Amino acid sequence: MADELSERALGYQLITQFQTASGQLGAAVSDALRELELTEPLANLLWLLDPDAEQPSMKDLAGRLYCDPSTITFLIDKLQKRGLVERRSGNHDRRVKIVTLTDTGVEQRRKLIEAVTERSPMSALSLSEKRQLHRLLAKATR
């Protein structure tokens, strides 16, 4: 019985710490977005557009952001007006629209990631601790 209560108490403490870290991360993100003049949906989209990965279609982005394709079109339009992304037809199907970052978009994304990661509560951890937390979170979120 004591082990069960101990495990329950530990579970409660873990959730409390996650909530605290989440709040701190939210504040860091809000500050970074204000400085970069981005809304949260635009930043989420920019975050997903990794210039070193295969460039996603608009349909893929809608699925990854769990939103309607019309919402992605709206967000891409906003990023395109700012010169951060371009749309092009897919190689195998011209109806498919692929989204790519411009050079300005790559730089804006770099600034976003840098600002958020530097202000994140995880920035206080050593490299070894970050690796350990990464392994544990990967295991917990399978």
Side-chain angles (χ1 to χ4, degrees):
M1 188 65 142
D3 286 328
E4 183 180 327
L5 292 176
S6 176
E7 188 171 341
R8 241 186 238 156
L10 180 59
Y12 173 80
Q13 288 300 316
L14 283 170
I15 298 300
T16 300
Q17 289 169 325
F18 272 113
Q19 289 174 325
T20 300
S22 178
Q24 291 173 351
L25 182 58
V29 168
S30 292
D31 289 346
L33 297 186
R34 224 177 354 270
E35 289 172 14
L36 297 171
E37 299 178 352
L38 290 169
T39 63
E40 189 172 332
L42 290 175
N44 289 341
L45 183 53
L46 203 56
W47 193 278
L48 288 178
L49 293 172
D50 183 350
D52 297 324
E54 183 176 338
Q55 299 306 289
S57 70
M58 292 180 66
K59 181 180 178 180
D60 292 338
L61 289 169
R64 289 170 66 187
L65 289 174
Y66 304 101
C67 66
D68 190 80
S70 63
T71 302
I72 289 298
T73 299
F74 174 76
L75 295 172
I76 294 295
D77 286 347
K78 286 187 164 285
L79 290 176
Q80 195 166 20
K81 286 178 185 171
R82 291 179 64 173
L84 302 178
V85 298
E86 295 175 342
R87 281 179 251 217
R88 60 179 172 80
S89 295
N91 292 334
H92 303 295
D93 187 345
R94 293 185 51 163
R95 296 171 295 178
V96 174
K97 297 299 177 200
I98 304 297
V99 181
T100 60
L101 291 170
T102 63
D103 290 343
T104 304
V106 169
E107 180 61 18
Q108 185 78 341
R109 182 180 184 274
R110 185 196 62 74
K111 288 178 183 176
L112 171 65
I113 291 170
E114 187 176 284
V116 171
T117 56
E118 284 178 1
R119 299 171 192 179
S120 149
M122 281 69 73
S123 67
L125 301 176
S126 70
L127 180 57
S128 174
E129 290 168 330
K130 287 176 186 174
R131 286 184 175 137
Q132 181 181 14
L133 180 59
H134 180 267
R135 282 191 303 275
L136 292 170
L137 288 174
K139 183 176 181 179
T141 58
R142 279 186 210 168

